[in-house]
Amino acid sequence: MHLSDMLLTPFAILYDGITAFRNKMFDAGLKKSIGFDIPTVVVGNLAVGGTGKTPMIEFLIRKLMNNYQIAVLSRGYGRKTKGFLMANDHSGPEDIGDEPYQVYDKFGAHIKVAVGEERVLAIPMILANAPETEVILLDDAYQHRYLKADLNILLTAYAQPFYKDKLLPSGRLRESKKNADRAGLVVVTKCPKHTSESTKSQMGQQVSLYTKPGIPIIFAGLKYGQPYPMNGKDKNMSESLILVTGIVSHQPILEELAGRFRILKVFNFPDHHAYTHNDILKIQLFYKKYRKDQPSILTTEKDAVKLKDEKFHGVLEGLPLFVLPVEMSLVERDEALLLNMIEDKIKSKTFGSGN
């Protein structure tokens, strides 16, 4: 055991005791979970960030929005507001959080997006504002046990599955791995291309040690799209790139770009980074230093919503900024299983169906 583990273990034990006591209160009915007539689907994880919740939410939106009226509910991590808010054309990342804003920016014409720390209070408010809603997708609500969801989708990253992780602060787990037993479906995310069936089987066996018997375990990768210009002006990307990210891990992006581009510099900021003028000036100065290479600046969709802020317009104007889209990718069998489970939950509810 490393010295750091020895020092952090007492805090991890204390943290485990607090979260375990809270969960036992819910399991015993001493704390109440509330269910709703409208179907509710939770996408969450046991670890702190980095499992691909937003790509999964966007995947479900794409697959369901032509058949159902969807609302997405998030607590709005990193926003500067409090309480319940419905996203509108005047909302920005500071109002609703960068990831909810990303979802609204892409799908706001077809779905409703709301934020609220107290999900059980926010759901009735969504229905009051949008009574046509037929299903609510909840982003990062696995630990929100006041809500009795119809389906809990638990995500765990291929590179750091929950069964190999440790509780905070020794590791990244927000609660004990045994609480995977609340999941109705487990998705191993960010799987490398061509992950073997034997590897999937081995990981599935490890996951199933912590879930209820018979819980499906499926596997998903990330599919990167064609970069597009952030300002709508620059059309062609250079072979030389400056990469700007504020995510948990930029390594999968580097692997995607390897062999196709020459990476001059990576500006790797922390997850949910709040960009400052100083950050943008550093990027601008580096771009000017290598102007002879005519580099393009590539960022993620999550970061782009913050870089579009009006306060950066003067500094970023004239820079060739591109955005790399990313989507969740599942094999046909796993996709069908996931969508059938959700549709079964929707159909089992009488809300708005008259059944």
Side-chain angles (χ1 to χ4, degrees):
M1 180 180 288
H2 293 106
L3 177 61
S4 59
D5 288 336
M6 293 176 63
L7 294 173
L8 293 174
T9 294
F11 297 100
I13 293 172
L14 176 62
Y15 183 81
D16 184 32
I18 294 170
T19 56
F21 177 75
R22 178 179 182 273
N23 280 318
K24 284 180 180 178
M25 294 284 282
F26 279 104
D27 294 339
L30 299 175
K31 284 182 176 287
K32 299 295 182 183
S33 298
I34 300 173
F36 290 88
D37 290 336
I38 189 168
T40 53
V41 177
V42 163
V43 175
N45 55 16
L46 293 177
V48 177
T51 57
K53 293 186 298 296
T54 301
M56 175 57 79
I57 288 287
E58 293 186 355
F59 173 86
L60 295 178
I61 292 169
R62 289 189 184 95
K63 296 298 179 179
L64 298 172
M65 68 182 183
N66 290 332
N67 297 321
Y68 302 100
Q69 296 291 324
I70 298 172
V72 173
L73 174 59
S74 170
R75 71 176 164 142
Y77 181 84
R79 63 185 173 126
K80 294 184 177 180
T81 58
K82 296 289 185 182
F84 176 82
L85 283 175
M86 289 284 287
N88 58 52
D89 291 342
H90 301 292
S91 302
E94 292 186 348
D95 302 309
I96 61 174
D98 49 8
E99 287 159 337
Y101 180 78
Q102 176 183 321
V103 172
Y104 180 76
D105 191 46
K106 294 168 77 169
F107 302 103
H110 308 284
I111 68 168
K112 302 297 182 184
V113 177
V115 293
E117 299 88 349
E118 301 297 332
R119 287 17 169 244
V120 294
L121 299 179
I123 289 174
M125 298 180 79
I126 289 174
L127 298 178
N129 282 273
E132 71 278 10
T133 303
E134 295 175 299
V135 58
I136 297 178
L137 305 178
L138 294 104
D139 181 14
D140 198 16
Y142 194 81
Q143 283 73 37
H144 196 80
R145 297 212 49 192
Y146 288 103
L147 171 69
K148 185 178 181 181
D150 294 293
L151 178 63
N152 276 309
I153 300 174
L154 177 64
L155 309 186
T156 188
Y158 176 93
Q160 196 170 13
F162 71 83
Y163 57 81
K164 288 185 177 180
D165 211 340
K166 298 178 182 178
L167 279 163
L168 289 167
S170 298
R172 298 173 61 250
L173 295 183
R174 294 190 275 189
E175 57 178 319
S176 170
K177 59 191 74 175
K178 67 183 180 182
N179 292 305
D181 68 354
R182 299 200 304 274
L185 172 76
V186 178
V187 185
V188 180
T189 62
K190 301 186 178 181
C191 295
K193 293 178 181 177
H194 313 300
T195 300
S196 68
E197 290 302 317
S198 63
T199 298
K200 291 180 180 179
S201 177
Q202 291 170 10
M203 294 191 75
Q205 290 174 17
Q206 291 296 316
V207 170
S208 65
L209 295 176
Y210 299 93
T211 62
K212 288 186 172 66
I215 294 299
I217 302 163
I218 63 176
F219 296 80
L222 292 177
K223 177 174 65 176
Y224 293 94
Q226 185 65 29
Y228 59 88
M230 193 176 93
N231 57 16
K233 298 177 182 178
D234 303 287
K235 301 301 180 186
N236 298 313
M237 285 185 62
S238 166
E239 292 183 356
S240 299
L241 287 184
I242 299 168
L243 182 62
V244 178
T245 65
I247 55 179
V248 173
S249 173
H250 65 284
Q251 195 59 40
I253 295 178
L254 288 177
E255 293 171 2
E256 172 69 18
L257 301 175
R260 297 167 51 197
F261 300 95
R262 182 165 69 103
I263 310 297
L264 299 177
K265 172 74 172 177
V266 177
F267 287 91
N268 181 32
F269 297 99
D271 192 26
H272 293 285
H273 181 63
Y275 287 91
T276 65
H277 275 280
N278 191 45
D279 297 328
I280 306 304
L281 286 172
K282 287 179 181 178
I283 297 167
Q284 184 190 55
L285 286 172
F286 188 88
Y287 171 80
K288 289 180 177 179
K289 180 180 179 181
Y290 287 87
R291 190 189 295 273
K292 60 179 173 47
D293 294 291
Q294 296 182 316
S296 297
I297 301 171
L298 184 65
T299 192
T300 69
E301 291 181 307
K302 179 177 174 179
D303 294 292
V305 299
K306 288 178 280 191
L307 295 176
K308 289 178 182 177
D309 194 303
E310 289 183 2
K311 65 186 178 184
F312 299 134
H313 283 185
V315 189
L316 292 176
E317 188 175 0
L319 295 181
L321 280 158
F322 289 82
V323 183
L324 181 65
V326 61
E327 296 181 12
M328 190 75 73
S329 175
L330 290 85
V331 299
E332 186 175 346
R333 176 191 61 199
D334 287 350
E335 179 179 315
L337 189 155
L338 168 61
L339 296 177
N340 286 338
M341 287 188 71
I342 292 175
E343 296 216 358
D344 286 346
K345 297 296 183 182
I346 295 173
K347 291 174 182 177
S348 70
K349 287 294 182 84
T350 60
F351 184 89
S353 65
N355 294 333

